[in-house]
Structures are given as C-alpha cells and as structure tokens.
Amino acid sequence: MVPMSPRTFRSHYDVDTPPPGTHLCYEVYDHRRTLIASGHLTNSDEDHAEEVFVGERFRESWRTCAIVWYISWSPCDHCMEMLTRTFLRVNPNVQLHIAFAKVYRLTSGGNIRALRRRGVNIRVMGMNDFYYCWNRFVDTDRSFVPWGNLIPNYYQASHWLNITLSGAP
C-alpha cells in the first residue's frame, strides 16, 4: 500500500471542509481476523469510492471476510443501494463495517436502515478512528493533531445516525 500524504488526509477527512471527493481507507480481514489487505482510494471520474472498491479492489478470495471502511462521507443512496441490492446479496459472507467522518446531506434514512438490516455496522468516526487512520494510512512521522470541530461533529453526526436508525422523521 502506498500511504497518502497528510494533506490528502486532511482535505478529505477534515470535518470543517467539503472534500474534493469521497475517500475510502480499507482493511480486509480473513475468517481468523488476520489482516489480508489494506489500502485507500478515492472516487474516479466515473465511479464513487465505494464502487471503485467493489469493482477494482474486491477479490473473489475475499468472499468470506470482514471489510472495514473509513470513509470521508456517509454513503450516498446510489452506493447504499449498490451495496444492499448487489454486493452484499452476492457476497452474504462478507461482514462490512463502515465508519464515516461526515454526514452527506443526501444520505437517506431508509437506505441507512437497509444497510443495517443487511448486517452492516455503520457508525461515525470517533477520535480513535482518526488517530488510527492517520497512523495506518498516512505517510508522516508527525502525530495527528485533531481539528477543532472534530468532537462536536462526532456528537452531531452520531445524533443524526441514531435518529436515522430509529426511523424517526
């Protein structure tokens, strides 16, 4: 895996700025919980980051695995529908865990709940996730310095996710 620059990480994951695109850091674990693959990617001109992972990075040998995504935005409806209607249906033994940094304003509650019904663990990235991603995916010797709005964003996004998952309007 080629690590990303600190600037790339900040431009995508900083909760105070709209990212230039969706960024996705991933880890794939086998049934023994051994890390077998990791990397990061962003959306292409044609595909969202989630589609790039499914179309270009996912391997047949991973059909029984756990995948962890650290993603800059909550998934859009198009990607959630692709995951629930196609990817997870074809790969029922894949356990998908999604942690997102920011709420994408067009993420619908119905699709979030559909992901959860399919067994996807979806949550907001907390402080430990940002530290972990910085140390795991970023090419730097410097320590991660959280930006000012990280904690308030976490609580606001978690509140949104809890209300969304409960089905409240």
Side-chain angles (χ1 to χ4, degrees), residues 27 35 39 45 49 71 86 133 143:
E27 295 179 320
L35 181 67
D45 290 339
I71 193 166
T86 307
C133 287
S143 296

Side-chain angles (χ1 to χ4, degrees), residues 109-143:
N111 281 328
I112 290 276
R113 291 186 294 277
L115 275 180
R116 183 59 65 91
R117 282 191 302 273
R118 276 270 180 207
V120 175
N121 176 6
I122 187 164
R123 62 183 178 78
V124 180
M125 286 177 68
M127 186 71 74
N128 289 340
D129 296 311
F130 286 97
Y131 277 103
Y132 180 78
C133 287
W134 180 267
N135 292 324
R136 176 82 175 90
F137 298 101
V138 177
D139 185 18
T140 186
D141 294 336
R142 294 180 293 149
S143 296

Side-chain angles (χ1 to χ4, degrees), residues 73-87:
W73 288 107
S74 55
C76 71
D77 285 348
H78 169 78
C79 289
M80 288 189 289
E81 289 171 8
M82 175 270 301
L83 289 169
T84 56
R85 293 183 181 163
T86 307
F87 180 72

